Amino acid sequence: MYISEISFSPKIINKKTVVNEKKTLGETNKTTTINLNYSPAFTGNMYNFTPLDEKSFLDKGGILRYDFAASKNGTPYSGRLVNDSKNMQVVSSYQNGQKTSINIAWSQRDDMDDISIHLKKEDEMNNSHGGKTLVWTNVAKDIEYLEDYDLEGKLVHTGLFGYKSAQDNTIIMTVQRDFEKDGITPYREETTTSEEYKHLFGYTSRISLATENGTKEIYYDADSKDKTRTSASRTLFFNKFGRIYKSSEEDVTYFDPKNNAPYAKSDRRVVFRDKKGDLVVRDFNFRTTDYTQGAGPIRKFVYDEHPSTIRDIKGSTYFYYDGLTKKRYAAEEYEEGKDLPVCIANFDKKYAAEIKDVAKNLLIVNVFANFEKLATSIMFEKRDGKYNVKEVDVFDPKTEKRTITRRVLTNGTITTQFFDEKGKMIETNKQLPENAGGEET
């Protein structure tokens, strides 16, 4: 078996342990402007076609009361006013002071386009706040938007409801928003979805809260965009500029993307930047639950997981730390486009494994003692989606000459060959599988 020269990444072999935490991710939050062409076009020079932020409108002395808007001098307002929050943009169109329609752009999830909704006034009624509730619906009558106003005509609460159809009032999703006393600043938004439609949203519930530092957004029963993990809850922390600076997930399950089989768990997963500014993904109490999936068989051969493992992912390198001593005991190096690591290091026993794709469904794993002397070479064959040992070559770590070769046949028979220091075969034996009827010919 031909063994090539190996060189390990300095990131793998460097023994300095770093477990730090800092504060910014630098991810940007997309803001999508809705299509305003759904709004009615009014004629006349007094109509303001450029949407004006509601806060700016009030700062200039504008008046907002229920579904009526007027300028500082009391002149009825004609134009559009915009109210923005983390996941929703609401554009209200006014003519001669009266709100005539509403356009809503709502973000159901970050990796999908916003949903645009055009609504007309359907009804109004008294409410428990001493004010009025205005009801707005779309043309299909399968979406309803409620605005709750207090006695002074300031907005207290809104609710967006999506139904299966105009004939079927089964609720698909709801978006509830609560407002500050000014009637224009939302401080809490909660989205809930039915279990039937969870796959469209990637969560069953999402709560956005305004904080002093920005927005905190919590997802429940969350799926990752790439479908490689789920979590009981996921919290994103946004700064005042809408950028994520930290994320945290609880009760995480990892899946093999090829067959959707679960293979690992962690109690908590956080994403942050360390003191050097590098992005870090950290798992607490990481543990493999199924070693038959993905790189599990190879990983299991190279090292044993420690109790309460902390796993750090920095770029293409995965580091594993003992949860009690915080000592690094293993590392894995990946290359873009490859599912399996190209190198695995065991710092407890001071050896590393190089993984090579040599043919379709065939892998060779070369193990090096003290990170430099060839000790073992193993050929894995992929059968039925799993890697099985096909051949093992054992080398003298001092001379790197082969001393033993074991071959595993598909029926479970194992043949072992022994070699002397000159490479000459000196002995062969065969081990039959259990319950075998006789020796293979």
Side-chain angles (χ1 to χ4, degrees), residues 417-430:
Q417 297 174 327
F418 297 88
F419 300 85
D420 61 18
E421 64 276 3
K422 295 181 180 180
K424 181 180 178 181
M425 187 175 64
I426 56 177
E427 184 182 348
T428 301
N429 62 45
K430 180 181 293 186

Side-chain angles (χ1 to χ4, degrees), residues 69-97:
S71 61
K72 184 176 181 180
N73 60 9
T75 302
Y77 177 74
S78 291
R80 295 184 177 98
L81 295 179
V82 181
N83 185 292
D84 268 319
S85 63
K86 169 67 177 60
N87 298 304
M88 185 179 288
Q89 183 187 73
V90 179
V91 179
S92 301
S93 297
Y94 293 85
Q95 185 180 28
N96 296 324

Side-chain angles (χ1 to χ4, degrees), residues 394-413:
V394 180
F395 297 83
D396 184 330
K398 294 181 180 179
T399 63
E400 294 189 277
K401 290 185 177 181
R402 183 174 55 173
T403 59
I404 300 173
T405 293
R406 290 190 179 92
R407 293 186 177 89
V408 182
L409 304 181
T410 56
N411 68 350
T413 299

Side-chain angles (χ1 to χ4, degrees), residues 64-66 148-157 180-183:
L64 288 177
R65 179 175 169 80
Y66 297 117
D148 292 329
Y149 292 89
D150 63 14
L151 184 61
E152 297 178 355
K154 292 184 178 180
L155 194 59
V156 177
H157 178 86
E180 301 281 3
K181 291 182 178 180
D182 60 8

